[in-house]
Amino acid sequence: MTPVASRVAGWLRDRVGLSGLEHVVQTKTVPVHRHSAWYYFGGMTLFFFTIQVTTGILLMLYYKPSVQEAHESIQFIMTQVSFGWLIRSIHSWSANLMVATAFIHLFSVLLMKAYRPPRELTWMSGFVLLVLVLGFGFSGYLLPWNKLAYFATRVGTDIAGSVPVVGGFLLRFLRGGDHVSGSTLSRFYGWHVAILPAITTFLIVLHLVLVQRHGMSIPPSEERHGVPVRRMRFVPDFLLRDVFGWILALGVLAALAALFPWELGEKADPFAPAPPDIRPEWYFMAMFQALRLIPGGSLFGLENETYLILGFGAVGLLAFLLPLIDRRVVREGRSPLVTLAGVFGLAFLVGFTAIGYRAWWPVWATLLIAAGGWMAGRMAVSRQEGNS
């Protein structure tokens, strides 16, 4: 460290108190094993969230959240503002990639049993963050005020309105009235740019503090080998690999945004008939497709679809409380029932998404990511063995 840098560091140390951060930098380590590659998806999700915040602030300078001006303001951004089309395309694509990496991070944590004590709150805060990420997608989908987003939002809020007892309240709370209107647009905009970011930022800080406090979890399958797990320093070894992953993610994002600019679509007309290809974003497609397969009718005074919606809610609650429910993993270091449920949940999401789009790309994408994670893990272990 140069004398100037040393004096600056000393000045900051006296004023801010950097001794705790220095201790973390000097002592923090990360386990190295055949599943280590999945650790990087948490940081990648945070990277995409940072891009979302940055591009979202730029879009706010021109976007006007009203029925009369929302569609036209985005049209202005895409045609009149310098690089406006690229900023909007990056914002839209990074939102989708953020959802994808958040799902990968959740399922990798689930299958590696990283929710075991003392990481219960780490899992719970991460699960709520995934719900908030989906909330970003749901609230942001309506903001362009195009035809597809308008009718998809009407269907989505109708589903929330079918929940027994509180459905009517939820419907009016989401829409700001009985119908999808300018009040809905203003409300979704407020959630999208103020309320959700504030809650998400608080939970991200909490999540990172908990990760730092308890460290990276080692999968029970690695602990059962009886061989001490090797570790790498967080700074600079793991951090440099993290940055390499962010650069790769940025390259994929830039290519998608430049080669496949996000379309604006036709302006919404509430009096026009619903388009035949109405559908939600891909991360809601599995649930949407499952609801479409439910036959019409009612049972014990409730619509058949309501039972499936309640089932989704129950699964979400069980997933949130998983660290408190799964005690077998604490006693025996293994939990095959949870593993089976996780694999079934992943197969449901991928399979029903493929059925909804009538395409195989969700299956190939999942297999490609799984193969990439396995190969990266094997390479990391081989490199460590070669160095030792």
Side-chain angles (χ1 to χ4, degrees), residues 46 63 166 172:
L46 179 61
Y63 178 72
V166 298
R172 286 186 289 276

Side-chain angles (χ1 to χ4, degrees), residues 11-330:
W11 188 87
L12 288 173
R13 188 183 300 111
D14 293 339
R15 270 71 178 176
V16 184
L18 297 177
S19 57
L21 182 60
E22 289 177 349
H23 178 73
V24 170
V25 170
Q26 294 168 358
T27 62
K28 185 176 174 61
T29 59
V30 178
V32 179
H33 49 77
R34 57 180 175 165
H35 303 301
S36 294
W38 303 106
Y39 288 150
Y40 297 100
F41 284 96
M44 202 171 288
T45 305
L46 179 61
F47 174 70
F48 284 124
F49 177 73
T50 306
I51 291 178
Q52 283 294 99
V53 172
T54 306
T55 54
I57 290 173
L58 294 175
L59 293 174
M60 283 174 60
L61 300 177
Y62 296 96
Y63 178 72
K64 298 176 180 177
S66 70
V67 171
Q68 293 77 23
E69 298 177 297
H71 193 270
E72 286 76 6
S73 64
I74 292 183
Q75 202 168 40
F76 179 81
I77 291 172
M78 296 177 67
T79 58
Q80 302 298 319
V81 179
S82 299
F83 297 105
W85 67 273
L86 184 60
I87 298 297
R88 177 175 181 258
S89 194
I90 288 176
H91 188 75
S92 300
W93 276 111
S94 67
N96 284 269
L97 293 175
M98 180 174 67
V99 174
T101 54
F103 267 115
I104 295 171
H105 184 48
L106 178 127
F107 275 101
S108 65
V109 170
L110 173 70
L111 296 176
M112 289 196 292
K113 307 293 185 295
Y115 53 82
R116 291 172 296 154
R119 298 179 179 82
E120 297 95 328
L121 289 178
T122 312
W123 166 269
M124 291 177 174
S125 59
F127 186 84
V128 175
L129 280 171
L130 175 65
V131 174
L132 290 173
V133 166
L134 296 178
F136 273 111
F138 185 67
S139 58
Y141 196 47
L142 181 65
L143 299 190
W145 198 250
N146 58 37
K147 182 188 292 184
L148 192 60
Y150 173 83
F151 286 101
T153 302
R154 204 164 76 177
V155 172
T157 49
D158 277 339
I159 292 174
S162 65
V163 176
V165 182
V166 298
F169 167 77
L170 285 177
L171 182 69
R172 286 186 289 276
F173 177 75
L174 289 172
R175 292 181 173 178
D178 292 329
H179 306 284
V180 176
S181 64
S183 298
T184 315
L185 181 63
S186 300
R187 187 161 292 206
F188 276 36
Y189 181 68
W191 279 96
H192 193 72
V193 304
I195 300 173
L196 289 178
I199 300 173
T200 303
T201 303
F202 169 76
L203 280 176
I204 286 176
V205 173
L206 174 64
H207 193 70
L208 293 177
V209 169
L210 291 170
V211 170
Q212 172 53 41
R213 178 175 175 79
H214 300 300
M216 304 286 198
S217 172
I218 301 172
S221 58
E222 297 297 320
E223 290 181 335
R224 282 199 297 270
H225 290 161
V227 179
V229 175
R230 290 179 293 277
R231 308 186 76 88
M232 73 165 75
R233 292 183 59 185
F234 183 80
V235 180
D237 299 334
F238 185 85
L239 183 59
L240 285 175
R241 289 165 172 77
D242 233 355
V243 171
F244 178 69
W246 299 346
I247 293 172
L248 287 180
L250 185 61
V252 172
L253 173 61
L256 289 172
L259 298 176
F260 306 100
W262 206 263
E263 296 180 357
L264 176 57
E266 186 180 344
K267 184 175 181 177
D269 180 2
F271 300 104
D277 57 344
I278 181 173
R279 63 177 185 271
E281 289 282 53
W282 63 268
Y283 35 86
F284 294 122
M285 178 58 83
M287 290 186 286
F288 181 72
Q289 181 61 29
L291 287 169
R292 289 175 64 180
L293 296 178
I294 298 295
S298 61
L299 184 66
F300 301 118
L302 292 177
E303 298 290 331
N304 291 344
E305 292 180 347
T306 303
Y307 289 100
L308 187 58
I309 294 169
L310 292 175
F312 287 141
V315 170
L317 181 62
L318 289 174
F320 175 73
L321 297 174
L322 179 61
L324 308 180
I325 297 172
D326 184 15
R327 309 312 298 173
R328 181 173 179 179
V329 74
V330 178

